[in-house]
């Protein structure tokens, strides 16, 4: 084979390889990354967004602005978490691709970027609309990109980003972003404003139900010594078994809110909490629903309008104490105003958080103290369960130096000399 023939063969192999590569690329519609710096959705007017619609599978969530407040219509217009809504819209506006992905329409299902439906390859649609319902921008969110951990090579990996594209882009403009877009959650509960009542300076707690009736109180704010109302002679409160009122009510949380269309539960357990600020909180609980308890709350009372100076209060402390009192009074007034929003709702609160509050009265009372220690010479053997043989009467106690004969059994009314006439019962 001469040099000319060898050159022809090399050229033929190169042409065949190029054609094969082109056919393979066309059949697989594979993608390849390129660097980019533009935002995914462009510079849309995010301040005009008045409605966020998220569709995933057969679930649809709407969060919209009504009367200048963001609400969740699926929860009877309960207030939405403004920081979450604003942060999500801003994140979409700033979203930049780390890589542009060249892919054909046949790869949309593989990347999870098909319109939402029932199929596995369907994605999540995020639709941003103005006050009239007109689309401002929309994003398709696809599959997560996973990265394996060297410490757990057998695991599938952890998400480091996801595939996205502007909805309706033709041809598809697909990007890989480092944001996993976990906030694109169609669950209404995830978008609720979870700020709730914060009860400080608890003075007393009363539990009332079909099986439980008790009241616990304390004399001073910050005191650890609780008192059980109606305690009987011989009883004492088990301080270590007092429910964690301070911890639970200082920052209570709820999981979700029931709507008027839901089946209304029966709330048959009442817990009344009073504070040293003259506020009364009435909670009502029902039977568990899954991992949660249905609960309602109502707040009444009014904080004191005038501060009572302390005994031996120094003049230099008066200004500081008056300012603290005024600030606390305003805080309590805000609590009462916000409580009106809470009073018309039934919340679902975590059972694991609130169940420790429902102690029975028997749990609160300390077990009876042990009987008096036996005297000198008394037997330490356990009392048999069978009926004992005839023995001296309980009131008959021999002299310490005397040893009664086995056959001697004094009369029940006899009292040996040198012993008291009455012996305390064990």
């Amino acid at each position: 084979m001469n040099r000319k023939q060898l050159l022809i063969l090399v050229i033929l192999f190169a042409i065949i390889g190029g054609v094969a590569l082109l056919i393979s690329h066309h059949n697989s519609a594979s993608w390849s990354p390129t660097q980019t710096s533009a935002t995914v959705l462009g510079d849309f007017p995010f301040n005009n967004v008045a409605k966020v619609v998220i569709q995933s599978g057969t679930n649809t969530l709407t969060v919209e602005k009504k009367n200048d407040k963001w609400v969740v219509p699926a929860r009877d217009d309960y207030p939405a978490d403004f920081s979450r809504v604003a942060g999500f819209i801003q994140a979409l506006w700033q979203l930049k691709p780390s890589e542009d992905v060249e892919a054909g329409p046949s790869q949309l299902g593989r990347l999870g970027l098909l319109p939402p439906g029932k199929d596995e390859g369907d994605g999540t649609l995020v639709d941003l609309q103005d006050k009239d319902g007109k689309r401002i921008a929309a994003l398709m969110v696809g599959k997560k990109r996973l990265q394996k951990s060297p410490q757990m090579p057998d695991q599938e990996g952890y998400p480091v980003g996801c595939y996205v594209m502007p909805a309706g882009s033709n041809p598809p403009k697909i990007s890989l972003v480092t944001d996993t877009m976990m906030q694109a959650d169609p669950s209404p509960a995830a978008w609720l404003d979870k700020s709730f009542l914060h009860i400080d300076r608890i003075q007393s707690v009363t539990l009332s139900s079909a099986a439980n009736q008790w009241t616990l109180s304390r004399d001073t704010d910050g005191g650890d010594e609780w008192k059980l109302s109606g305690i009987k002679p011989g009883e004492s409160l088990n301080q270590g078994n007092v429910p964690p009122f301070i911890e639970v009510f200082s920052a209570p949380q709820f999981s979700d809110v029931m709507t008027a269309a839901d089946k209304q539960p029966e709330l048959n357990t009442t817990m009344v909490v009073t504070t040293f600020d003259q506020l009364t909180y009435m909670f009502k609980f029902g039977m568990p629903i899954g991992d949660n308890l249905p609960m309602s709350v109502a707040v009444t009372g009014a904080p004191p309008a005038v501060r009572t100076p302390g005994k031996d209060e120094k003049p230099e402390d008066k200004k500081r104490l008056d300012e603290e009192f005024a600030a606390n009074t305003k805080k309590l007034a805000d609590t009462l105003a916000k409580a009106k929003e809470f009073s018309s709702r039934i919340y679902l609160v975590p059972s694991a958080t609130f169940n420790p509050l429902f102690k029975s009265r028997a749990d609160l009372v300390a077990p009876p103290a042990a009987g008096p220690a036996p005297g000198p010479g008394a037997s330490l053997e356990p009392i048999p369960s069978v009926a004992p043989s005839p023995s001296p009467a309980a009131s008959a106690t021999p002299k310490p130096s005397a040893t009664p004969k086995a056959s001697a059994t004094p009369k029940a009314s006899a009292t040996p000399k040198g012993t008291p006439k009455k012996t305390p019962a064990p």
Side-chain angles (χ1 to χ4, degrees):
M1 181 182 295
N2 56 32
R3 184 176 179 181
K4 184 177 180 180
Q5 292 173 330
L6 179 62
L7 181 60
I8 293 174
L9 287 174
V10 171
I11 294 174
L12 288 174
F13 281 126
I15 294 174
I16 293 171
V19 172
L21 180 62
L22 182 61
I23 294 174
S24 174
H25 184 276
H26 176 75
N27 290 337
S28 64
S30 61
W31 60 89
S32 59
T34 57
Q35 296 299 322
T36 182
S37 59
T39 58
V40 174
L41 292 176
D43 189 17
F44 64 87
F46 62 87
N47 285 324
N48 293 345
V49 176
K51 182 184 293 186
V52 179
V53 181
I54 302 176
Q55 291 179 276
S56 180
T58 58
N59 298 322
T60 300
L61 166 82
T62 300
V63 182
E64 61 181 303
K65 186 185 292 186
K66 293 183 178 180
N67 299 323
D68 292 329
K69 290 184 179 181
W70 285 93
V71 297
V72 182
R75 292 296 182 264
D76 293 346
D77 288 349
Y78 193 87
D81 184 347
F82 173 77
S83 61
R84 174 168 182 148
V85 176
F88 183 58
I89 296 173
Q90 186 175 16
L92 293 174
W93 180 68
Q94 295 175 337
L95 189 63
K96 287 186 177 183
S98 59
E99 299 174 358
D100 283 340
V101 178
E102 295 180 3
S106 62
Q107 290 296 321
L108 294 182
R110 184 177 179 181
L111 299 175
L113 291 172
L114 292 175
K118 300 179 181 179
D119 297 332
E120 183 179 352
D122 298 344
T124 298
L125 173 63
V126 180
D127 195 357
L128 306 181
Q129 304 175 8
D130 63 13
K131 62 180 181 178
D132 299 321
K134 183 179 178 180
R135 174 176 288 182
I136 296 176
L139 181 73
M140 286 296 305
V141 180
K143 288 185 177 180
K144 305 289 187 293
R145 185 176 184 179
L146 304 178
Q147 179 174 310
K148 287 185 175 295
S149 171
Q151 290 77 19
M152 296 180 292
D154 297 334
Q155 301 295 326
E156 185 180 16
Y158 57 93
V160 294
C162 67
Y163 295 97
V164 299
M165 76 172 188
S169 60
N170 189 17
K173 186 181 178 182
I174 303 171
S175 304
L176 178 65
V177 296
T178 56
D179 192 333
T180 59
M181 300 301 295
M182 297 297 291
Q183 284 189 306
D185 186 350
S187 170
W191 293 86
L192 299 176
D193 181 2
K194 296 295 180 67
S195 60
F196 203 41
L197 293 174
H198 298 275
I199 305 178
D200 300 320
R201 308 186 68 213
I202 294 178
Q203 182 178 20
S204 71
V205 180
T206 299
L207 178 67
S208 178
S209 69
N212 268 321
Q213 298 284 338
W214 50 254
T215 297
L216 288 170
S217 61
R218 56 181 182 169
D219 295 331
T220 59
D221 179 26
D224 295 330
E225 191 73 18
W226 291 84
K227 297 178 180 180
L228 178 62
S229 178
I231 199 163
K232 301 175 183 178
E235 291 183 338
S236 61
L237 175 62
N238 186 350
Q239 295 288 338
N241 220 18
V242 172
F245 305 122
I246 309 301
E247 292 79 3
V248 173
F249 288 121
S250 62
Q253 300 290 326
F254 66 90
S255 305
D256 204 346
V257 179
M258 301 189 72
T259 68
D262 295 326
K263 182 180 179 181
Q264 301 303 297
E266 183 179 358
L267 307 179
N268 47 22
T269 297
T270 302
M271 181 168 285
V272 178
V273 179
T274 66
T275 70
F276 288 99
D277 294 314
Q278 301 178 13
L279 298 184
T280 299
Y281 300 79
M282 178 178 288
F283 297 89
K284 291 187 176 182
F285 298 89
M287 298 299 292
I289 301 176
D291 295 331
N292 297 296
L293 296 172
M295 182 197 79
S296 68
V297 58
V299 187
T300 57
V306 180
R307 184 181 73 87
T308 303
K311 186 179 180 181
D312 300 329
E313 184 176 297
K314 297 180 180 179
E316 56 268 24
D317 295 334
K318 183 179 185 303
K319 180 179 179 181
R320 174 180 58 83
L321 295 174
D322 286 343
E323 291 176 351
E324 292 177 355
F325 177 82
N328 187 58
T329 301
K330 183 181 183 304
K331 176 184 174 183
L332 295 173
D334 293 341
T335 298
L336 285 171
K338 194 171 182 62
K340 295 179 180 179
E341 301 176 9
F342 300 142
S343 61
S344 61
R345 302 282 185 168
I346 295 180
Y347 296 86
L348 294 177
V349 296
S351 300
T353 301
F354 284 83
N355 276 341
L357 303 183
F358 307 124
K359 298 281 188 180
S360 67
R361 191 181 188 282
D363 292 332
L364 298 176
V365 176
S379 173
L380 298 178
E381 295 181 358
I383 300 176
S385 58
V386 297
S389 58
S391 60
S395 60
T397 304
K399 295 180 180 180
S401 59
T403 303
K405 296 180 181 180
S407 59
T409 306
K411 295 181 181 180
S413 59
T415 303
K417 296 180 179 181
T419 60
K421 293 184 180 180
K422 293 184 180 180
T423 302

